[in-house]
Amino acid sequence: MKQLFIQIFYFLIVRPWLSLIIGVRFENKAVLNEARRYIIVANHNSHFDMVSILAAVPIRKLKHTYAVAAADYFTKTPFRDWGMRTFFNAILIRRQKEAGQPSAIEQLDGHLKDGRSLIMFPEGSRGEPGVMADFKKGVAILLKNHPSIPFVPVYLDGFGRVLPKNSNLIVPLVCKVRFGKPIYPETEDIDEILEQVKTAILDLREKDERDRNRFRFD
């Protein structure tokens, strides 16, 4: 019942709202039909990033697609915790391993083994708009451990302006979710896989494209 609710919610409410009210444009999202499972990886500037990617996922795949988020931020209140798990299929992981508990990698590895797809932001948190921070190695480790699962690079353009970090003001502006084709890493070297992921995301930015992520209120 929960998964049916999520499918209806995204199809009838989220997608039209993002497209018609906020101004989100989805590009090349059909590539998500080219692989049965995947790890979606994207740059990260806004809380709108997650919901916009989920809105592009084919309806039939939504129930198997889980967004990875930081537990220390999204479990601050019971309502926020409930909302993340209910509307985003969120996997809430702790950045620091707790004694006696599985690590973040072990948790995500288990979800992949159970047949799920993941949405990950390798920067780890929302950074400075328009500036890509160093990637954490977790996504590369997962790709090494699951060579049959490709990653799908996504370049998010403009979301740093729609809902900037440390702001509660939503600004409707044209922004883009641009998908690249699924990629299978051809190496088992963690650093090389990580560099391939980062390069694939940056390559989706069109030549001479104006950076819509930067925005100031002053």
Side-chain angles (χ1 to χ4, degrees):
M1 179 62 89
K2 172 190 170 183
Q3 295 301 333
L4 177 60
F5 167 75
I6 290 177
Q7 290 173 323
I8 294 173
F9 175 70
Y10 273 91
F11 184 72
L12 295 180
I13 299 176
V14 177
R15 286 184 184 177
W17 182 68
L18 287 173
S19 298
L20 301 176
I21 305 301
I22 301 301
V24 178
R25 302 291 181 265
F26 301 99
E27 299 182 4
N28 204 31
K29 65 180 181 179
V31 299
L32 293 177
N33 291 309
E34 295 183 13
R36 187 174 66 86
R37 289 191 295 151
Y38 38 70
I39 299 177
I40 297 174
V41 289
N43 55 313
H44 195 23
N45 284 137
S46 168
H47 283 319
F48 258 78
D49 298 346
M50 184 185 298
V51 68
S52 296
I53 291 175
L54 277 168
V57 174
I59 290 296
R60 72 180 189 283
K61 291 190 174 186
L62 263 178
K63 65 179 180 179
H64 299 301
T65 303
Y66 285 66
V68 181
D72 55 335
Y73 182 87
F74 288 107
T75 58
K76 287 183 178 180
T77 67
F79 178 76
R80 184 182 291 182
D81 187 346
W82 172 83
M84 289 297 293
R85 298 179 192 276
T86 300
F87 296 104
F88 301 105
N89 275 352
I91 302 171
L92 300 176
I93 60 174
R94 301 200 174 276
R95 304 183 209 228
Q96 300 297 325
K97 185 180 183 302
E98 297 181 346
Q101 298 297 319
S103 67
I105 292 298
E106 290 170 335
Q107 293 179 58
L108 298 177
D109 190 78
H111 283 284
L112 290 173
K113 288 178 179 176
D114 286 340
R116 294 169 177 146
S117 294
L118 302 178
I119 298 173
M120 299 183 67
F121 301 99
E123 292 168 275
S125 63
R126 294 163 296 154
E128 179 184 347
V131 178
M132 190 175 289
D134 291 337
F135 279 19
K136 306 294 189 294
K137 293 186 177 182
V139 64
I141 295 173
L142 291 172
L143 288 168
K144 176 184 177 181
N145 292 345
H146 298 270
S148 64
I149 299 177
F151 71 89
V152 176
V154 177
Y155 181 69
L156 300 171
D157 182 30
F159 291 92
R161 301 186 308 162
V162 170
L163 184 60
K165 187 176 181 179
N166 300 321
S167 173
N168 294 318
L169 177 64
I170 298 174
V171 183
L173 292 166
V174 172
C175 45
K176 300 177 181 179
V177 184
R178 183 176 296 135
F179 290 86
K181 296 182 72 66
I183 298 173
Y184 295 88
E186 298 179 353
T187 176
E188 293 186 353
D189 184 272
I190 298 299
D191 291 327
E192 290 181 9
I193 294 175
L194 202 63
E195 186 61 30
Q196 185 179 10
V197 170
K198 187 172 185 178
T199 299
I201 294 173
L202 289 173
D203 283 348
L204 291 173
R205 181 177 176 181
E206 295 179 350
K207 185 178 180 180
D208 299 326
E209 183 174 41
R210 179 170 62 87
D211 190 344
R212 295 178 177 79
N213 288 308
R214 295 182 181 275
F215 185 79
R216 294 184 182 275
F217 289 102
D218 51 44

